[in-house]
Amino acid sequence: MVLTTAALPWRTGPSIFSLWHAGGLAALGHRVAYGVPWLDAASQKRLWGEVLFADEDAQADWLRAEAQRLGVPPLPEVFFFDGVFSRSMFSIFITEDAFAAAPPARAILVQEPEHFGWLPVTSPRRRVAADKVVGIVMTNYGYYIRRPGRPDRAVFAAGVERTHKQLMRRFTDVVVPLSPALDLRGLEDMTEWRQVTGVLRAFAEVPPVAEGDDGVYFLGRLTWDKGLRDVIDAAARLDVPVDVYGEGPDQAAIRAAAAEAGAPLRFLGGTASPWEVMRPYRVFFNPSLSEVLCSTTAEALVAGRHVVLPRCPANEPFYDLPNVHLYDTPAEMDAALRHARTAAVEPPTVARARFDWEAVCRSVADLLLS
């Protein structure tokens, strides 16, 4: 069984990852059920700006069609549990016991297990009749909370991290972090390091970089947390055009800052099919420090593009891959961008093997059933 608090059409990493885990495990011959939150009309409007689904059947049908569009194996049974969307927290809170709503299962894969404990409605692990519960930890809440740099925020962040560790222990047997960016000290006895995320096949089918291509792009949610200040400053210093794909709460301020700095940025909106717009680009520039493991970086590498990244724990899983250019300082950032715009692209063989979803799902199945 696969459980998530974030499901498409909310386009987050966990929503794509859980979709592939559900379809991929079923394609391997395992009986699988896929559990996602059901949002009422008010929550749908807060999250998507409109009511997209009249009932659960409509969302399940849409999820199956979207999985097919994304190249995910056919989805198994889809079931729902109640949730509400908070605009202020930009998160979904589970208001029904997801384990009680689910069919019996031998093993359970939980995306972001701490989310299931934010409200006291979910059964603790000792009451769940499964042989094993594995949680994939994906979000660095401490980073977001500490970012303002105030002492009171640091104290609050430490409290949140401590509570989340307690919730992981309460609801799971094993936790799998996506990168060393997460502080899981105190959970060493239940932490497993292995590859549990992949990249859609469509990215491996993007045409290779052609001679003369030197385009640079950024793809991500338009918030300052994603490193957009560095994108603006580097583009202005180097007079290098950067195409920006994405939408988000800070997009108006980011546009204004780019205009004020004279940075040659083009804002091209969001895209549900990023592989369709990657053809003219040689370089993905991703200065974000907020992710645990950035899926858009993995996608660019699988598509055979250079990536320019800050050296930080979240990016450590990419350090050994070809076409990765790391920096620590603004001067090194500029040098990496200049070099990546003209350097030959090495074949992305290793990246494609590492982020192959079929191999990932076999590894996840081994973990769940061992």
Side-chain angles (χ1 to χ4, degrees):
M1 181 166 63
V2 177
L3 298 178
T4 182
T5 60
L8 292 172
W10 191 15
R11 296 192 179 276
T12 67
S15 64
I16 295 289
F17 298 160
S18 64
L19 197 76
W20 238 110
H21 286 137
L25 290 170
L28 292 175
H30 302 288
R31 286 190 62 189
V32 181
Y34 181 34
V36 302
W38 168 251
L39 302 180
D40 63 15
S43 281
Q44 288 189 47
K45 285 183 179 178
R46 286 194 294 272
L47 179 54
W48 298 311
E50 60 180 320
V51 178
L52 296 180
F53 306 112
D55 54 36
E56 294 175 357
D57 288 342
Q59 184 169 358
D61 289 344
W62 185 91
L63 282 169
R64 296 184 190 283
E66 184 66 0
Q68 183 177 22
R69 185 184 77 85
L70 295 173
V72 175
L75 289 184
E77 172 191 352
V78 179
F79 69 93
F80 292 85
F81 41 86
D82 291 337
V84 296
F85 177 73
S86 166
R87 184 181 287 117
S88 61
M89 298 291 290
F90 204 72
S91 292
I92 291 174
F93 289 82
I94 299 304
T95 59
E96 179 183 5
D97 187 342
F99 294 115
R106 175 184 170 189
I108 303 173
L109 183 67
V110 183
Q111 319 278 326
E112 300 184 297
E114 68 275 28
H115 286 199
F116 288 81
W118 284 353
L119 296 179
V121 298
T122 303
S123 297
R125 173 66 185 96
R126 67 180 184 275
R127 295 181 184 172
V128 176
D131 293 343
K132 195 171 191 179
V133 179
V134 174
I136 302 179
V137 191
M138 304 183 184
T139 305
N140 190 350
Y141 292 99
Y143 173 87
Y144 289 108
I145 297 170
R146 288 185 179 91
R147 195 169 185 275
R150 302 197 313 262
D152 61 318
R153 301 287 287 185
V155 172
F156 179 47
V160 168
E161 290 172 333
R162 182 171 57 254
T163 299
H164 281 177
K165 291 175 187 177
Q166 293 169 349
L167 293 173
M168 292 175 206
R169 192 172 289 280
R170 177 178 173 82
F171 293 114
T172 66
D173 300 306
V174 176
V175 291
V176 184
L178 295 191
S179 82
L182 288 163
D183 175 9
L184 295 183
R185 285 174 294 181
L187 300 180
E188 291 87 352
D189 59 309
M190 58 186 297
T191 299
E192 175 96 15
W193 291 94
R194 73 168 60 201
Q195 186 70 37
V196 290
T197 63
V199 167
L200 297 176
R201 296 184 183 122
F203 289 97
E205 298 169 0
V206 175
V209 172
E211 185 177 353
D213 288 344
D214 64 354
V216 181
Y217 75 101
F218 169 89
L219 173 65
R221 191 160 177 263
L222 297 190
T223 70
W224 290 115
D225 289 319
K226 301 300 182 183
L228 271 300
R229 170 54 63 185
D230 286 337
V231 174
I232 292 169
D233 292 345
R237 283 195 307 267
L238 300 175
D239 194 27
V240 171
V242 178
D243 286 349
V244 176
Y245 293 92
E247 298 173 336
D250 296 331
Q251 57 188 357
I254 291 166
R255 283 175 177 264
E260 182 178 354
L265 268 57
R266 290 199 307 168
F267 293 89
L268 302 177
T271 172
S273 307
W275 57 87
E276 295 180 352
V277 302
M278 294 175 70
R279 169 64 189 84
Y281 301 108
R282 180 179 292 263
V283 182
F284 175 48
F285 180 29
N286 183 19
S288 176
L289 298 170
S290 64
E291 279 84 12
V292 175
L293 180 78
C294 189
S295 57
T296 52
T297 297
E299 290 162 359
L301 290 167
V302 167
R305 268 56 188 171
H306 289 295
V307 298
V308 174
L309 308 171
R311 195 181 299 275
C312 67
N315 288 330
E316 284 186 18
F318 303 120
Y319 284 5
D320 64 325
L321 294 174
N323 306 315
V324 174
H325 307 267
L326 300 166
Y327 63 85
D328 290 303
T329 66
E332 291 177 356
M333 176 198 302
D334 294 352
L337 277 169
R338 290 193 193 96
H339 176 66
R341 292 185 70 209
T342 58
V345 178
E346 295 186 39
T349 308
V350 179
R352 290 179 181 178
R354 180 172 301 175
F355 294 104
D356 175 72
W357 262 118
E358 292 182 9
V360 165
C361 287
R362 286 194 293 271
S363 177
V364 170
D366 289 344
L367 176 62
L368 287 168
L369 301 177
S370 62

